[in-house]
Amino acid sequence: MPNKALALEGGSLRCLFSAGVTDVMLEEGIGFDGVFGVSAGALTGVNFVSGQKGRTAQINLTFVNDPRYMGMRSLIRNRSIFNFDFLFGEISDTIFPLDREAFQGSPCQFTAVAVNCLTGKAEYFEKSAVPDIYAAVRASASLPLLAPMVEVGRAPYLDGGLDVSIPYRRPLDEGYGKVVVVTTREHGYQKGPVSRPAARAYARFYRKYPELVRSILNVPRHYNREMDELDRLEAQGKVFVIRPPEPVEVRRTEKDLGKLQALYDQGAAVCRRALPQLRAYLEG
């Protein structure tokens, strides 16, 4: 029976906090039997499973102001604010190579969460069970309106956070005894409702996908419910949560390198401070 799982929230460039946390875990030899990632959390999780300390931060800090990687040029040319062709192509092949062999060969089970645009529901893609886990990771990180749908199998998918923002429930349901959760928002954070103009834009753009629109409009409700449930599970000792100690001022498409570096450093510092309690939880 699997024992230890790591669950990673998304948040686009707020993943620099998770990158700091997971890099300290790699330094300290803290491993898991399963890693579950949503959106940018899935991208971070790939680098954790491949054992490539620093890769998440290195890519984002190097390329965040490069129009080949992120920005309006990519949105116009590729219909995606983040250029995943560049990320999974030139970056992962030659510039900062992804150790695909280490990732695929790791005994750690990796799961990416993406939302089926036809049903509006999250689906879970395990690296050992799908032909192309990287397509599922790409789908998991594809933001509505800011990225095209990604076909995985024969269905279109988008950002897993549209239905499951913090993927702690799946490892609990699968029988993991210890679940470490890394969020990219501070304790007590609550999402406000989707604005009327945004709701109209989603309804118009995705008029052929009514269940997807319904999920998008329900994101604040299910996110706030997840945050509340995490508090209960943490109080019961069922999960161990690592979160930012204060409100995160980094935007999803932040370009300020100082802010991004500071968020990474904060994640690393928070994890180091938590190491005694983390080890006690995992070994208890």
Side-chain angles (χ1 to χ4, degrees):
M1 179 178 292
N3 186 36
K4 298 181 291 185
L6 176 65
L8 299 169
E9 183 183 359
S12 294
L13 288 172
R14 290 194 295 273
C15 75
L16 267 294
F17 178 83
S18 305
V21 171
T22 52
D23 280 354
V24 169
M25 290 177 176
L26 287 172
E27 283 179 10
E28 296 292 325
I30 297 173
F32 296 89
D33 302 298
V35 172
F36 297 74
V38 165
S39 196
L43 293 168
T44 304
V46 168
N47 294 323
F48 180 80
V49 173
S50 68
Q52 292 179 272
K53 175 182 174 290
R55 187 172 183 270
T56 296
Q58 194 173 32
I59 289 171
N60 286 297
L61 293 173
T62 301
F63 290 107
V64 71
N65 287 300
D66 188 325
R68 293 176 298 169
Y69 179 63
M70 187 189 83
M72 289 305 298
R73 190 174 89 171
S74 177
L75 186 60
I76 292 167
R77 289 186 174 185
N78 308 296
R79 296 189 299 122
S80 179
I81 194 76
F82 289 94
N83 185 355
F84 291 120
D85 289 337
F86 183 51
L87 173 61
F88 287 103
E90 189 175 352
I91 291 177
S92 292
D93 291 339
T94 60
I95 301 174
F96 297 127
L98 171 63
D99 192 339
R100 291 181 171 88
E101 185 176 346
F103 173 72
Q104 292 289 352
S106 170
C108 176
Q109 179 59 63
F110 173 82
T111 302
V113 189
V115 161
N116 185 316
C117 298
L118 301 175
T119 66
K121 299 300 181 183
E123 295 183 13
Y124 298 83
F125 297 91
E126 298 180 356
K127 71 170 182 176
S128 61
V130 295
D132 186 1
I133 187 61
Y134 302 110
V137 171
R138 180 171 180 159
S140 180
S142 293
L143 302 170
L145 299 183
L146 298 178
M149 296 175 180
V150 177
E151 283 202 3
V152 184
R154 295 186 177 182
Y157 292 84
L158 278 174
D159 186 355
L162 300 178
D163 189 42
V164 174
S165 297
I166 312 170
Y168 58 87
R169 176 51 58 188
R170 181 73 169 196
L172 289 173
D173 291 345
E174 288 187 1
Y176 284 86
K178 305 288 183 178
V179 179
V180 176
V181 183
V182 181
T183 73
T184 56
R185 290 292 195 182
E186 71 279 6
H187 182 262
Y189 177 82
Q190 296 277 283
K191 282 185 183 289
V194 177
S195 70
R196 288 186 178 181
R200 287 195 293 268
Y202 289 126
R204 183 169 60 251
F205 195 81
Y206 296 119
R207 58 187 177 278
K208 295 181 180 178
Y209 302 91
E211 296 303 322
L212 175 65
V213 174
R214 185 172 290 109
S215 286
I216 292 172
L217 299 184
N218 280 330
V219 164
R221 186 178 306 160
H222 76 64
Y223 184 88
N224 297 340
R225 187 168 58 242
E226 287 174 356
M227 290 290 272
D228 291 342
E229 185 180 29
L230 268 183
D231 284 348
R232 294 193 297 272
L233 293 171
E234 186 179 28
Q236 296 166 3
K238 294 182 178 180
V239 300
F240 187 96
V241 184
I242 300 176
R243 51 168 67 91
E246 57 195 27
V248 176
E249 302 299 333
V250 167
R251 296 173 293 115
R252 290 193 304 179
T253 55
E254 183 65 60
K255 287 181 172 289
D256 187 320
L257 288 176
K259 287 185 177 180
L260 293 170
Q261 182 67 58
L263 186 60
Y264 172 84
D265 292 342
Q266 183 186 67
V270 167
C271 189
R272 287 195 182 98
R273 288 196 298 270
L275 282 173
Q277 294 88 350
L278 175 60
R279 286 198 171 99
Y281 169 77
L282 291 173
E283 295 166 7

